[in-house]
Structures are given as structure tokens and as C-alpha cells.
Amino acid sequence: MDQDLQSIASARRCAEKAFKAYQDFLGTDPAHVDAIVDAMARAVEPEAKRLGQMAVEETGYGNVDDKRVKNLFNALSVADFLRDVTTLGMLWRDDATKVAAFGEPMGVVAALIPVTNPTSTIIYKVLSAVKAGNAIICAPHPRGIRCGLETVSIMARAAEQMGAPKGLIQCLDQVTIAGTAELMKHRRTSVVMATGGPAMVKAAYSSGKPTLAVGAGNVPCYVHKSMAKELGEVAEMIVTSKSFDYGTACVSEQAVIADPEIARELRHELKLKGAYFCTPAEADRLAKTIFLGKRAMNPERVGQSPYILAEKSGFSIPPRTRCLVSEESEIGWHRPLSAEKLNPVLAFYEARDSDHGLELAQQIARFEGWGHSSVVHSNDPSIVAKFSSIPTGRVLVNTPAIMGGMGYSTDLEPSFMLGTGTWSGSITSDNVTALHLINIKRVAYQNRPWRDIYEEYAE
């Protein structure tokens, strides 16, 4: 049978099965739902490294150690957060206004899974969807089917052992664009959670279903002169964040902007932490390796080590290099390395002064990264206040972008789906959680005489 037809048939079977399981799951005591979520988290935790290994082997992206950390963040930190969140039943009541709110599931969640994070995103989305009382069907990228199926299998088995209906948690085993489109628009699908490239996000919003989707992240990182005595730690944060899983996270830093007073020393510290500054000729070759054209990253170069990127670009780098850096002065597609790069590559700008540094950060965020995240390293509250006008959903202060944005080193909600707001066409700028996957029903008693409206608005 044609692959598209197989995928469409698979999507239809999963959707019908998920809807039945969702109906059977309706009304489950919230405490039992919590027990199921905890069981899934416990089941996937010891498998974190193995699933990371599967993901790297199948997709060719990232590295096992960091994939393991991503999996554990979702199995532990996201699960810990969900344990203290109320999603079902009474959420709150106000006796004075006589209004109470109740959480109810949305139904069947179609979860599109990116190839860059094929196991960790599943862990996060499955825990969140079930916590909200929903059924979920994961649609992995074709390059991540095997590791996606294994992750879902572990979690579904744990849930069913705790009494969850069979079919509540599923994964498409045959994936094509046509099959994923069928899943999104199927009559049983209630909401779409889309994480992936621009084409996937556009298709999700075109499905005709309510959609939570995220956009690209061209994250600027501005280092203010007030950090002069802390540049070693700043450099470590930047290099660690950008090199994490070989740059596959869209929330990691993309461009460093330094005040002139500290630019030279910051370059030195970045080099000590493992950053290699390319020559202009090397940077031009690197850009051609990473990009196929405007808005077109070469998928074969995503999530690759700096050594592979340098080799493919025709130059050598020192041992223990963790990321590559290109000195830039302009922003736009005529300088491709000023755009989002899903690999361990940074752009570096030296500002003329603090005002120029803030202006460069604004320009970078607006170029291919509206709404996502930005970072400022400063001990001056007035600079942080000025920087906060940047058009991003997260402004992270004195922390690595990836750890801060996903809610580990900050008190943002732990999440692997970071909304980008209407700046880039997303419905939310929040860190998406289970609370985005419930309908909130309000029960409101009459609190003032209804006939008074005629007196209040009398002519």
C-alpha cells in the first residue's frame, strides 16, 4: 500500500481508539490521574540514557549525555511541577462573587514531535496531556519513529498498569506529511500541540483545529559592562548553553553582544571555555555548510559537533572545542550566521556602547526570532529594565538561556514547549503546561438583581 495511505489509515485508527479511551478516562478521580502521571515518570526515568542513545542513533542529531539530561528534566522536573498543579475538578472558588472554576479535559491531543528532541518532547507532552485528563497521539518526525515508539510504549505500559484505558497514549507507527495532516484535522482530534520547523507549524495552524505552536528562536545574549568581574562565569554559561546537545534547542543563545569595555576580555574567556573564533573566510564557509539558502538550514548539519561542522567547512579546530564563533557586524540574510542556528555556532557582536548593544539585541530578536527568548547579563537594574522591552516572551537574566528558558535555573514553568506569542503567530507566549490543555468551566450564581439593568441604563 502507498505510504501516505498507510499513514492516513494509521492516523484514523489511532484517533478513533484515542477518543474511546478518552471517554473511558473521563471522570477519573484527579488523585488517580496524578498516580498515573507519577507512574509514567518513574517508568521513563531509568530509561533516560537508553532513549537518548536511540534518539542520537536514529536521527543523527545531538549527543547522548545531553539527550539523557533532557529526558530526565521532563521525567523529573516537569513531573514534580505537575504534582502540585490542579487541572481537574474545582480549580478555585470565590464566595464573595459567587463564581467557581472547574477544569475539564479538552479531549484528544495531536502532538507533533520534532526530530531535534524526539524523546524528551514526548515525555513532556504525554505527562502534560494525561495530567489534564486527555488522550494523546504522538506524531514523530519520520527520522524519529523508532525512538518515539519506544518512549510512548514505556509510558503507555506504565499508565495501563495503573488502570488507564488502552489507547489513551499512542504513537503513529507510520508517519508521512499526509498522515500527520489527517491526524490534526480528524474529527476526533480536539487540540494540536505542534513543535517543529516553520512548515510543520504552518500546517498545524491550517488544520482547522485549536493549536498550540511555537516559532523560531534567534536568541540574543547581551553582556553589559557591569559584569566585568564575572566574565568567566558568563562565558561558561554561554558556551555550556549553546553547546548543549550540539545546539538543537531553539532557546539556546544565537548571538552574543558585548559592551566595548568588556568585549576583549569576554572573547578571551569564551576561548578559555572552549569557543573557537573563526576567521572571516572560515565563517563564510561555515555559513554555506549550515544553510542551503534563506530560511533553509541544511538538515544534515543540524545538531552536529563543532568538529564535524569544521571538517565539512574545510578547516581544523583545536581539541576540546565546544562551539564555533563568527565575529559579525551586520544582521540579515546577507550574513546567514546572524540567523537561528540549530548547532553549536554563535555570532559575536561588539557594540559601540550600551545603547547600541540594546539596539543590536532588538534587531537580532526581530530577525528570525520574534517572540521567543532573549538573555541579558547585567548587574545594573536599569539596563535589565531597558532590555526587557525586547519583543520576546522570555527575558532571562544572568542565567544560561536553555536552563533558564525551560524553567530549570529560573522559576518559569518547566516546559519543553515555549510559546512565542503573536509576535510570531503563536496563540501564547507562555511556557506551555498541562494548564493549557484544559477547558475552564465557570459556575456563576446571580450576584445582583437582574432587573436592575433597566434602571441602571434607563434613558
Side-chain angles (χ1 to χ4, degrees):
M1 187 186 295
D2 178 88
Q3 283 190 328
D4 281 341
L5 293 178
Q6 288 181 325
S7 185
I8 290 169
S10 175
R12 289 172 178 170
R13 285 194 302 270
C14 286
E16 293 294 347
K17 190 175 181 181
F19 183 71
K20 182 182 183 305
Y22 157 68
Q23 289 183 309
D24 293 341
F25 198 51
L26 272 175
T28 300
D29 184 88
H32 189 197
V33 173
D34 287 345
I36 291 171
V37 171
D38 280 344
M40 290 192 295
R42 287 196 307 270
V44 82
E45 179 188 348
E47 303 286 357
K49 184 171 184 178
R50 183 174 70 87
L51 292 173
Q53 180 80 46
M54 288 184 68
V56 171
E57 289 175 355
E58 186 175 7
T59 68
Y61 293 170
N63 62 78
V64 176
D65 289 342
D66 291 339
K67 294 286 189 197
R68 170 185 168 274
V69 171
K70 286 181 176 181
N71 290 339
L72 286 176
F73 170 78
N74 288 287
L76 297 176
S77 295
V78 169
D80 286 346
F81 166 78
L82 292 175
R83 199 170 290 119
D84 296 327
V85 172
T86 301
T87 53
L88 301 171
M90 183 180 287
L91 305 180
W92 53 263
R93 59 181 287 175
D94 188 329
D95 292 334
T97 60
K98 297 183 180 179
V99 176
F102 295 81
E104 296 194 356
M106 287 186 169
V108 176
V109 178
L112 278 57
I113 309 300
V115 66
T116 47
N117 300 298
T119 57
S120 51
T121 306
I122 285 177
I123 297 169
Y124 150 71
K125 289 188 178 180
V126 168
L127 292 177
S128 300
V130 175
K131 170 70 178 186
N134 300 301
I136 181 169
I137 305 165
C138 296
H141 188 279
R143 282 177 62 164
I145 293 177
R146 191 169 62 87
C147 61
L149 282 167
E150 181 64 12
T151 306
V152 168
S153 175
I154 292 167
M155 301 184 79
R157 187 163 57 247
E160 288 164 19
Q161 288 173 352
M162 290 294 294
K166 193 173 181 63
L168 192 73
I169 303 152
Q170 299 179 72
C171 182
L172 296 185
D173 57 0
Q174 311 226 14
V175 183
T176 66
I177 292 173
T180 301
E182 177 66 21
L183 175 65
M184 290 190 291
K185 69 183 182 182
H186 195 277
R187 66 191 183 109
R188 298 303 192 189
T189 296
S190 302
V191 61
V192 177
M193 293 181 81
T195 311
M200 176 189 281
V201 171
K202 183 178 180 181
Y205 276 123
S206 301
S207 68
K209 294 299 176 79
T211 296
L212 292 161
V214 297
N218 196 21
V219 180
C221 173
Y222 171 52
V223 184
H224 183 248
K225 61 187 177 183
S226 62
M227 301 299 287
K229 295 181 180 180
E230 302 166 59
L231 291 179
E233 176 66 4
V234 171
E236 179 64 26
M237 286 192 276
I238 293 170
V239 173
T240 297
S241 181
K242 185 55 184 170
S243 62
F244 189 81
D245 202 27
Y246 295 156
T248 52
C250 55
V251 70
S252 64
E253 292 85 347
Q254 298 291 337
V256 176
I257 303 138
D259 274 349
E261 294 87 347
I262 52 94
R264 181 177 178 182
E265 183 64 20
L266 181 58
R267 286 189 188 90
H268 176 67
E269 290 293 343
L270 287 169
K271 291 174 184 177
L272 289 178
K273 305 305 180 185
Y276 173 78
F277 279 70
C278 301
T279 67
E282 289 170 344
D284 288 344
R285 295 203 296 272
L286 181 62
K288 292 177 182 177
T289 296
I290 293 173
F291 292 97
L292 298 174
K294 287 185 179 181
R295 298 177 179 82
M297 272 184 274
N298 184 342
E300 299 305 316
R301 301 293 168 251
V302 168
Q304 303 301 300
S305 74
Y307 300 99
I308 290 177
L309 293 174
E311 179 187 357
K312 296 296 182 183
S313 303
F315 61 91
S316 59
I317 55 178
R320 295 186 295 279
T321 296
R322 298 166 68 192
C323 71
L324 307 175
V325 182
S326 171
E327 295 253 16
E328 299 287 339
S329 59
E330 297 178 274
I331 299 163
W333 278 112
H334 61 293
R335 297 300 305 168
L337 296 182
S338 65
E340 182 188 37
K341 305 162 289 293
L342 293 180
N343 36 49
V345 178
L346 281 167
F348 186 95
Y349 295 82
E350 180 173 340
R352 293 190 297 270
D353 51 37
S354 293
D355 286 342
H356 184 226
L358 294 169
E359 179 187 332
L360 285 171
Q362 291 270 356
Q363 290 176 17
I364 290 163
R366 287 188 168 93
F367 173 58
E368 294 291 300
W370 274 47
H372 205 294
S373 304
S374 55
V375 188
V376 57
H377 292 276
S378 176
N379 286 323
D380 185 339
S382 67
I383 292 296
V384 174
K386 287 181 180 178
F387 187 85
S388 296
S389 67
I390 201 163
T392 60
R394 279 149 296 279
V395 177
L396 307 167
V397 184
N398 298 338
T399 192
I402 186 167
M403 286 74 172
M406 70 185 189
Y408 182 82
S409 61
T410 65
D411 273 333
L412 295 177
E413 297 86 348
S415 177
F416 248 46
M417 189 169 179
L418 310 184
T420 53
T422 55
W423 292 293
S424 61
S426 177
I427 193 61
T428 183
S429 56
D430 295 341
N431 280 19
V432 177
T433 73
L435 291 171
H436 293 82
L437 296 173
I438 57 172
N439 290 310
I440 299 179
K441 176 189 293 184
R442 288 165 177 79
V443 177
Y445 283 77
Q446 178 168 292
N447 205 25
R448 68 174 64 91
W450 66 269
R451 288 184 176 85
D452 287 1
I453 192 171
Y454 295 105
E455 294 183 13
E456 186 170 348
Y457 303 123
E459 292 184 8

Coordinates of all heavy atoms in Angstrom, one line a residue, residues 93-132:
R93 N -12.6 28.9 43.9 CA -13.9 29.5 44.1 C -13.8 30.8 44.8 O -12.9 31.0 45.6 CB -14.8 28.5 44.9 CG -14.2 28.1 46.3 CD -15.1 27.2 47.0 NE -16.3 27.8 47.5 CZ -17.3 27.1 48.1 NH1 -17.2 25.8 48.3 NH2 -18.4 27.8 48.6
D94 N -14.7 31.7 44.6 CA -14.7 33.0 45.2 C -16.1 33.2 45.8 O -17.1 33.4 45.1 CB -14.4 34.1 44.2 CG -14.3 35.5 44.8 OD1 -14.9 35.7 45.8 OD2 -13.5 36.3 44.3
D95 N -16.3 33.0 47.1 CA -17.6 33.1 47.7 C -18.2 34.5 47.6 O -19.4 34.6 47.6 CB -17.5 32.7 49.2 CG -17.2 31.2 49.3 OD1 -17.5 30.4 48.4 OD2 -16.6 30.8 50.3
A96 N -17.3 35.5 47.6 CA -17.8 36.9 47.5 C -18.5 37.2 46.2 O -19.6 37.8 46.1 CB -16.7 37.9 47.7
T97 N -18.0 36.7 45.1 CA -18.6 36.9 43.8 C -19.5 35.8 43.3 O -20.1 35.9 42.3 CB -17.5 37.1 42.7 OG1 -16.6 36.0 42.7 CG2 -16.6 38.3 43.1
K98 N -19.4 34.7 44.1 CA -20.2 33.5 43.8 C -19.9 32.9 42.4 O -20.7 32.6 41.6 CB -21.7 33.8 43.9 CG -22.2 34.2 45.2 CD -23.7 34.5 45.2 CE -24.2 34.9 46.6 NZ -25.7 35.1 46.6
V99 N -18.5 32.8 42.2 CA -18.0 32.2 41.0 C -17.0 31.1 41.4 O -16.2 31.3 42.3 CB -17.4 33.2 40.1 CG1 -16.7 32.5 38.8 CG2 -18.3 34.3 39.6
A100 N -17.2 30.0 40.7 CA -16.2 28.9 40.9 C -15.7 28.4 39.5 O -16.5 28.5 38.5 CB -16.8 27.7 41.7
A101 N -14.5 27.9 39.4 CA -14.0 27.4 38.2 C -13.6 26.0 38.3 O -13.1 25.5 39.3 CB -12.7 28.2 37.8
F102 N -13.9 25.2 37.2 CA -13.7 23.8 37.2 C -12.9 23.5 35.9 O -13.2 24.0 34.8 CB -15.0 23.0 37.2 CG -15.8 23.2 38.4 CD1 -16.6 24.3 38.6 CD2 -15.7 22.2 39.4 CE1 -17.3 24.4 39.8 CE2 -16.4 22.3 40.6 CZ -17.2 23.5 40.8
G103 N -11.9 22.6 36.1 CA -11.1 22.2 34.9 C -11.6 20.9 34.3 O -12.0 20.0 35.0
E104 N -11.7 20.9 33.0 CA -12.2 19.7 32.3 C -11.3 19.5 31.1 O -10.8 20.4 30.5 CB -13.6 19.9 31.8 CG -14.6 20.1 32.9 CD -16.1 19.9 32.4 OE1 -16.3 19.8 31.2 OE2 -17.0 20.0 33.3
P105 N -11.1 18.2 30.7 CA -10.2 17.9 29.6 C -10.6 18.4 28.3 O -11.8 18.7 28.1 CB -10.2 16.3 29.6 CG -10.7 15.9 30.9 CD -11.7 17.0 31.4
M106 N -9.7 18.6 27.4 CA -10.0 19.1 26.0 C -10.4 17.9 25.2 O -11.3 18.0 24.3 CB -8.8 19.8 25.4 CG -8.6 21.2 26.0 SD -7.3 22.0 25.1 CE -7.5 23.7 25.8
G107 N -9.8 16.7 25.4 CA -10.2 15.6 24.5 C -9.0 14.8 24.0 O -8.1 14.3 24.8
V108 N -8.8 14.7 22.7 CA -7.7 14.0 22.1 C -6.7 15.1 21.6 O -7.0 16.0 20.9 CB -8.2 13.2 20.9 CG1 -7.0 12.5 20.2 CG2 -9.2 12.1 21.4
V109 N -5.5 14.9 22.1 CA -4.4 15.8 21.7 C -3.5 15.2 20.6 O -3.1 14.0 20.7 CB -3.5 16.1 22.9 CG1 -2.3 17.0 22.6 CG2 -4.3 16.7 24.1
A110 N -3.4 15.9 19.5 CA -2.4 15.5 18.5 C -1.1 16.2 18.7 O -1.0 17.4 18.7 CB -3.0 15.9 17.1
A111 N -0.1 15.5 19.1 CA 1.2 16.0 19.5 C 2.3 15.8 18.4 O 2.7 14.7 18.2 CB 1.6 15.4 20.8
L112 N 2.7 16.9 17.7 CA 3.7 16.8 16.7 C 5.1 16.9 17.4 O 5.3 17.8 18.2 CB 3.5 17.9 15.7 CG 2.5 17.7 14.6 CD1 1.1 17.4 15.1 CD2 2.4 18.8 13.6
I113 N 5.9 15.9 17.1 CA 7.2 15.8 17.8 C 8.4 16.2 16.9 O 8.5 15.6 15.8 CB 7.4 14.4 18.3 CG1 6.1 13.9 19.1 CG2 8.6 14.2 19.2 CD1 5.8 14.7 20.3
P114 N 9.3 17.0 17.3 CA 10.4 17.5 16.5 C 11.5 16.4 16.5 O 11.8 15.7 17.4 CB 10.9 18.8 17.2 CG 10.6 18.5 18.6 CD 9.3 17.7 18.7
V115 N 12.2 16.4 15.4 CA 13.4 15.5 15.2 C 14.5 15.8 16.1 O 15.3 15.0 16.5 CB 13.8 15.4 13.7 CG1 14.4 16.7 13.3 CG2 14.8 14.2 13.5
T116 N 14.6 17.1 16.5 CA 15.7 17.5 17.4 C 15.6 17.0 18.8 O 16.6 16.9 19.5 CB 15.8 19.1 17.4 OG1 14.5 19.6 17.6 CG2 16.3 19.6 16.0
N117 N 14.4 16.9 19.3 CA 14.1 16.4 20.6 C 13.1 15.3 20.6 O 12.0 15.5 21.1 CB 13.7 17.5 21.5 CG 14.7 18.6 21.6 OD1 15.9 18.4 22.1 ND2 14.4 19.8 21.2
P118 N 13.3 14.2 20.0 CA 12.3 13.2 19.7 C 11.8 12.4 20.9 O 10.7 11.9 20.8 CB 12.9 12.3 18.7 CG 14.4 12.3 19.0 CD 14.6 13.7 19.5
T119 N 12.6 12.3 21.9 CA 12.1 11.5 23.1 C 11.7 12.4 24.3 O 10.7 12.2 24.9 CB 13.2 10.5 23.6 OG1 14.4 11.3 23.9 CG2 13.5 9.5 22.5
S120 N 12.5 13.5 24.5 CA 12.2 14.4 25.6 C 10.9 15.1 25.4 O 10.1 15.3 26.4 CB 13.4 15.4 25.8 OG 13.7 16.0 24.6
T121 N 10.6 15.5 24.2 CA 9.3 16.2 23.9 C 8.1 15.3 24.1 O 7.1 15.7 24.6 CB 9.3 16.8 22.5 OG1 10.5 17.6 22.3 CG2 8.1 17.6 22.2
I122 N 8.3 14.0 23.8 CA 7.2 13.1 24.0 C 7.0 12.9 25.5 O 5.8 12.9 26.0 CB 7.5 11.7 23.4 CG1 7.4 11.8 21.9 CG2 6.7 10.6 24.0 CD1 7.7 10.5 21.1
I123 N 8.0 12.8 26.3 CA 7.9 12.7 27.8 C 7.1 13.9 28.3 O 6.1 13.7 29.0 CB 9.2 12.5 28.4 CG1 9.9 11.3 28.0 CG2 9.1 12.5 30.0 CD1 11.4 11.2 28.4
Y124 N 7.5 15.0 27.9 CA 6.8 16.3 28.4 C 5.4 16.3 27.9 O 4.5 16.6 28.7 CB 7.6 17.5 27.9 CG 6.8 18.7 27.6 CD1 6.2 19.4 28.7 CD2 6.5 19.1 26.3 CE1 5.5 20.5 28.4 CE2 5.7 20.2 26.1 CZ 5.2 20.9 27.1 OH 4.4 22.0 26.9
K125 N 5.1 16.0 26.7 CA 3.7 16.2 26.2 C 2.8 15.1 26.7 O 1.6 15.4 27.0 CB 3.7 16.2 24.6 CG 4.3 17.5 24.0 CD 4.2 17.6 22.5 CE 4.7 18.9 22.0 NZ 4.6 19.0 20.5
V126 N 3.3 13.9 26.8 CA 2.4 12.8 27.4 C 2.1 13.1 28.8 O 0.9 13.0 29.2 CB 3.1 11.5 27.2 CG1 2.4 10.4 28.0 CG2 3.2 11.1 25.8
L127 N 3.1 13.5 29.7 CA 2.8 13.8 31.1 C 1.8 14.9 31.2 O 0.9 14.9 32.0 CB 4.1 14.1 31.8 CG 5.1 13.0 32.0 CD1 6.4 13.6 32.7 CD2 4.6 11.9 32.8
S128 N 2.0 16.0 30.4 CA 1.1 17.1 30.5 C -0.3 16.8 30.0 O -1.3 17.3 30.6 CB 1.7 18.3 29.6 OG 3.0 18.6 30.1
A129 N -0.4 16.1 28.9 CA -1.7 15.8 28.3 C -2.5 14.9 29.3 O -3.7 15.1 29.5 CB -1.6 15.1 27.0
V130 N -1.9 13.9 29.8 CA -2.6 13.0 30.7 C -3.0 13.6 32.1 O -4.0 13.4 32.6 CB -1.8 11.7 31.0 CG1 -2.5 10.8 32.0 CG2 -1.7 10.9 29.6
K131 N -2.1 14.5 32.6 CA -2.3 15.3 33.8 C -3.6 16.1 33.6 O -4.4 16.3 34.5 CB -1.2 16.2 34.1 CG -1.4 17.2 35.2 CD -1.5 16.6 36.6 CE -1.7 17.7 37.6 NZ -1.7 17.2 39.0
A132 N -3.9 16.5 32.4 CA -5.1 17.3 32.1 C -6.3 16.5 31.7 O -7.3 17.0 31.3 CB -4.8 18.3 30.9

